[in-house]
Amino acid sequence: MVKLSNRLLAVASFVTDGNVLADVGTDHGYIPIFLVQEKRIPRAIAMDINAGPLERAKEHVDMYGLKYYIETRLSDGVAALTPGEVDTVLVAGMGGGLVMHILEEGKEVCRQAKELVLQPQSELERVRAYLWSNGYVILEENMVLEDEKFYPMMRVVYENVIDTKNAENLLFCRYGKHLLEQKNEVLKQYLEREENLYAGILGNLTQTTVSEKTKERIEEVEEVLRLNREAACYFA
């Protein structure tokens, strides 16, 4: 039985039972293997743009005797999928820019899927704003702390509804509407860490020789702290 890290377990928990899964950027293929072993999904397609990781995934699939349940495909994003072929598209462990690129280049596939499970490693503000601006609805969010790193994740559906209000809400885009409203404990830890980090940066900046560049940086840090403290009010 394959064992998943806490981060991957949290990501896997967002996949709806009974769905056919496409794991984009599968690497070792652990999530589809786990979900099939748990009998939560009937089958999966494990995909990666690089032959090396895909071969590792295939080896693991064969090792666990699941080659009739999990197919491996070389694919740039979702390019190797046809619209409606899978129910869940999972994109985890990539930078936010790449996540948005995959969604944009694979619009037809992603929009026809029943759900997307996304775990961007960076640019969360841009990813959330992109989703709300392009007809997606964020149904669920979670955040996991593993090896001193914070991992936000979300379950998303396409409903062709442009949500300008949320897309322009800096607080929701930066920290996650659901995470804030549900008072996510890991988000609280993240806010506390960010408060200490940026308060220290601000303290150092105010002790340096003031230049135009320093003034701009001070304003940036003060804005981060303002948003951080506004977010912290949800936990008061």
Side-chain angles (χ1 to χ4, degrees):
M1 202 77 169
V2 73
K3 291 186 177 180
L4 299 184
S5 66
N6 289 336
R7 173 180 72 90
L8 294 184
L9 273 173
V11 171
S13 74
F14 273 173
V15 177
T16 299
D17 290 357
N19 278 6
V20 176
L21 170 70
D23 183 15
V24 181
T26 192
D27 197 16
H28 292 81
Y30 289 147
I31 289 180
I33 290 170
F34 171 81
L35 290 172
V36 170
Q37 285 182 328
E38 290 287 314
K39 301 188 185 309
R40 285 191 44 208
I41 62 172
R43 59 188 181 87
I45 303 170
M47 310 196 301
D48 207 287
I49 192 173
N50 296 308
L54 197 66
E55 185 58 34
R56 285 198 298 271
K58 187 176 184 302
E59 288 171 0
H60 291 142
V61 168
D62 291 344
M63 182 174 71
Y64 287 103
L66 298 176
K67 64 180 180 179
Y68 297 111
Y69 302 93
I70 302 174
E71 178 187 348
T72 56
R73 287 186 195 173
L74 197 64
S75 179
D76 183 356
V78 296
L81 290 175
T82 57
E85 187 177 10
V86 298
D87 304 308
T88 302
V89 174
L90 188 156
V91 186
M94 302 180 193
L98 183 53
V99 171
M100 289 183 286
H101 173 76
I102 289 170
L103 298 187
E104 190 66 24
E105 291 297 308
K107 277 182 181 178
E108 195 173 356
V109 168
C110 292
R111 290 178 176 182
Q112 288 197 32
K114 291 180 181 178
E115 65 185 7
L116 307 179
V117 176
L118 310 175
Q119 191 262 297
Q121 303 275 55
S122 61
E123 301 182 84
L124 268 296
E125 290 178 54
R126 290 186 60 215
V127 172
R128 290 188 180 107
Y130 172 89
L131 292 169
W132 281 320
S133 300
N134 286 274
Y136 290 96
V137 176
I138 301 173
L139 296 180
E140 297 178 77
E141 292 184 278
N142 193 12
M143 182 181 263
V144 170
L145 176 61
E146 184 175 278
D147 297 330
E148 298 303 310
K149 293 183 180 180
F150 292 92
Y151 296 97
M153 57 201 69
M154 59 196 79
R155 188 167 75 87
V156 175
V157 295
Y158 181 73
E159 293 188 357
N160 196 23
V161 177
I162 308 301
D163 191 343
T164 305
K165 184 178 179 182
N166 278 334
E168 294 178 352
N169 187 313
L170 292 178
L171 197 69
F172 288 168
C173 285
R174 185 174 178 87
Y175 300 112
K177 184 174 188 288
H178 294 289
L179 295 176
L180 289 166
E181 291 177 346
Q182 294 167 8
K183 305 181 192 302
N184 181 275
E185 186 59 33
V186 178
L187 174 61
K188 182 182 179 183
Q189 295 176 54
Y190 176 80
L191 293 173
E192 290 168 351
R193 183 180 292 188
E194 291 288 282
E195 169 71 24
N196 292 331
L197 173 65
Y198 282 96
I201 292 172
L202 184 62
N204 291 333
L205 286 170
T206 54
Q207 293 175 20
T208 61
T209 303
V210 178
S211 64
E212 282 303 314
K213 189 174 181 180
T214 303
K215 286 180 182 178
E216 290 177 7
R217 180 58 178 152
I218 287 173
E219 289 175 3
E220 290 173 1
V221 173
E222 286 177 337
E223 175 63 6
V224 171
L225 284 169
R226 183 190 70 77
L227 286 169
N228 186 293
R229 289 162 185 172
E230 187 178 344
C233 290
Y234 279 81
F235 299 88

